Amino acid sequence: MDRMNTLAPAVSQVPQTAQELLDRFAEDCSLRRMTPETIRSYVSNLRTIAAFLEGRNRSFLDLASDDLKAILSFALHDRGVRPKTIRAYFSALSCLCDFLVYEGLMGSNPVPLFRKRYLRDYKKRGPGSDGFERQLLTVEQMRDLIGGTLDPRDRAILMVLAKTGVRRDELVRLDVDDIDIGTMTMRLKAHPKRTNLVLFIDDECARAIRAWLAVRRNYALASGCAALFVGEHGDRLKRQGVYEVVTSRALAAGLHDPASRDPRRRLSPHALRHWFTTWLRRNGMRREFIQELRGDVRGDAIDIYDHICPEELRKAYLACMPRLGL
């Protein structure tokens, strides 16, 4: 028997329901070390698409060009979603099709050619076509946002997001023991999208964290809860909780319009990472230092040998991080 045929993977058992297929897809994404939030987003978007396909007596396993056109029309006209969401739908769908091809349940992935033909200029036609993907706050607006937040927990959350540029996932996973006020540093948990785990904080951020820790004990903390930020029931604050903190405080400061379709008039937690990056750059920080603080993978081969001195990075951070006067 030909050795290549012996080693060829067998076709997987055909899933009986869309939910079974999505469960297997999610498990595959986890094995590929995708972040939990990426998996959650993919599965959520695919459930919406699955419900639409079932209404047409179709399934993911027999996708054709007409189905993709119908999905696009459904997103545009029936749901009226933003271009960013349309791109997210088809990104999730393409990833699923790649999985089905690998499992031997689909001959080829039809999504890439469809995206090239129909979606390549959606970003240019959508809101923010002048290049701003999201709202960029001025230093004064950030001062108003955080300065107008009196709740110690919410103030500390906003300060950490702005002064460190961490993602929501990284913020909610912080424990009290991850903060070292003495050395003005915080240590993040390992994350698939992050390379640098040690970040600096300045005195403004340290004061906000200290003020929160002074009252954190007043919460009815869940047994053994080590989380830095906790919710109203005393357990670890979740992603949605962080989103609600940012948007509610931004709404009160006149910086967030939840009804607007223009991303420049809405403020999400990721906009604070955008602020962190932009203002470090505008204040003269070297690009590779910003990449290090953001935890980005630096792409050039020479970067492998370019070791950044932590003390030099700390001094650059303190010199370039905007002062809010809080």
Side-chain angles (χ1 to χ4, degrees), residues 17-32:
T17 65
Q19 186 58 54
E20 181 186 343
L21 188 152
L22 292 180
D23 287 344
R24 285 168 54 177
F25 171 68
E27 181 181 2
D28 180 76
C29 290
S30 181
L31 290 174
R32 294 174 60 196

Side-chain angles (χ1 to χ4, degrees), residues 298-307:
R298 291 185 287 153
D300 295 334
I302 194 172
D303 291 333
I304 298 172
Y305 307 99
D306 182 19
H307 298 287

Side-chain angles (χ1 to χ4, degrees), residues 179-239:
I179 308 300
D180 190 333
I181 298 295
T183 61
M184 306 282 277
T185 59
M186 66 171 54
R187 176 171 287 277
L188 304 179
K189 305 295 192 300
H191 190 282
K193 293 183 178 180
R194 174 164 293 269
T195 55
N196 175 40
L197 298 181
V198 177
L199 298 180
F200 305 105
I201 57 177
D202 64 6
D203 58 341
E204 292 183 328
C205 189
R207 280 197 298 272
I209 293 173
R210 276 197 298 263
W212 157 238
L213 290 176
V215 300
R216 177 182 178 273
R217 64 177 67 93
N218 296 334
Y219 278 62
L221 297 175
S223 177
C225 181
L228 175 60
F229 295 113
V230 296
E232 60 182 11
H233 300 298
D235 52 0
R236 188 178 296 274
L237 190 66
K238 295 179 173 57
R239 283 176 49 86

Side-chain angles (χ1 to χ4, degrees), residues 26-315:
E27 181 181 2
D28 180 76
C29 290
S30 181
L31 290 174
R32 294 174 60 196
R33 301 186 65 187
M34 291 186 184
T35 66
E37 175 55 22
T38 296
I39 298 172
R40 185 206 65 78
S41 176
Y42 276 176
V43 171
S44 175
N45 288 329
L46 289 170
R47 284 200 183 105
T48 299
I49 296 172
F52 170 73
L53 290 174
E54 287 173 3
R56 292 167 52 89
N57 295 318
R58 302 286 289 173
S59 77
F60 289 121
L61 297 178
D62 50 19
L63 274 178
S65 176
D66 285 347
D67 297 307
L68 298 179
K69 291 178 183 178
I71 292 168
L72 178 58
S73 179
F74 163 69
L76 281 173
H77 304 302
D78 295 355
R79 303 205 79 204
V81 299
R82 294 179 292 129
K84 180 180 178 181
T85 304
I86 291 174
R87 294 196 302 273
Y89 279 175
F90 282 90
S91 178
L93 194 56
S94 183
C95 190
L96 175 67
C97 289
D98 281 342
F99 165 72
L100 295 176
V101 170
Y102 179 79
E103 292 286 301
L105 298 172
M106 178 178 283
S108 62
N109 183 352
V111 179
L113 284 176
F114 182 87
R115 291 167 75 180
K116 183 177 180 180
R117 181 175 182 85
Y118 291 99
L119 303 184
R120 61 182 178 181
D121 64 339
Y122 264 47
K123 190 170 185 177
K124 289 184 283 188
R125 285 189 278 143
S129 58
D130 59 357
F132 288 96
E133 285 292 315
R134 57 185 61 85
Q135 184 176 173
L136 172 62
L137 299 185
T138 65
V139 174
E140 292 73 20
Q141 287 173 321
M142 186 63 74
R143 179 186 301 123
D144 292 343
L145 173 63
I146 300 179
T149 300
L150 301 181
D151 181 86
R153 186 203 65 174
D154 293 0
R155 188 184 181 103
I157 287 172
L158 293 171
M159 190 70 84
V160 170
L161 288 171
K163 294 279 189 169
T164 68
V166 294
R167 302 174 179 89
R168 266 192 290 172
D169 281 347
E170 295 169 333
L171 182 129
V172 299
R173 295 174 67 194
L174 280 172
D175 292 334
V176 172
D177 291 344
D178 294 328
I179 308 300
D180 190 333
I181 298 295
T183 61
M184 306 282 277
T185 59
M186 66 171 54
R187 176 171 287 277
L188 304 179
K189 305 295 192 300
H191 190 282
K193 293 183 178 180
R194 174 164 293 269
T195 55
N196 175 40
L197 298 181
V198 177
L199 298 180
F200 305 105
I201 57 177
D202 64 6
D203 58 341
E204 292 183 328
C205 189
R207 280 197 298 272
I209 293 173
R210 276 197 298 263
W212 157 238
L213 290 176
V215 300
R216 177 182 178 273
R217 64 177 67 93
N218 296 334
Y219 278 62
L221 297 175
S223 177
C225 181
L228 175 60
F229 295 113
V230 296
E232 60 182 11
H233 300 298
D235 52 0
R236 188 178 296 274
L237 190 66
K238 295 179 173 57
R239 283 176 49 86
Q240 183 61 25
V242 177
Y243 180 84
E244 290 170 359
V245 166
V246 173
T247 54
S248 64
R249 298 304 178 182
L251 182 63
L255 299 170
H256 176 67
D257 180 3
S260 175
R261 297 177 65 84
D262 187 341
R264 292 165 296 180
R265 299 185 63 187
R266 297 191 307 272
L267 194 76
S268 69
H270 198 75
L272 277 70
R273 181 170 167 86
H274 183 46
W275 182 88
F276 170 85
T277 303
T278 301
W279 286 102
L280 285 178
R281 183 64 174 167
R282 290 187 180 182
N283 286 340
M285 180 175 276
R286 289 162 49 185
R287 183 182 182 88
E288 60 269 27
F289 280 13
I290 297 174
Q291 289 176 311
E292 183 76 5
L293 291 174
R294 284 172 49 89
D296 296 337
V297 177
R298 291 185 287 153
D300 295 334
I302 194 172
D303 291 333
I304 298 172
Y305 307 99
D306 182 19
H307 298 287
I308 294 176
C309 170
E311 182 59 20
E312 186 180 5
L313 182 61
R314 183 186 71 83
K315 290 180 179 178

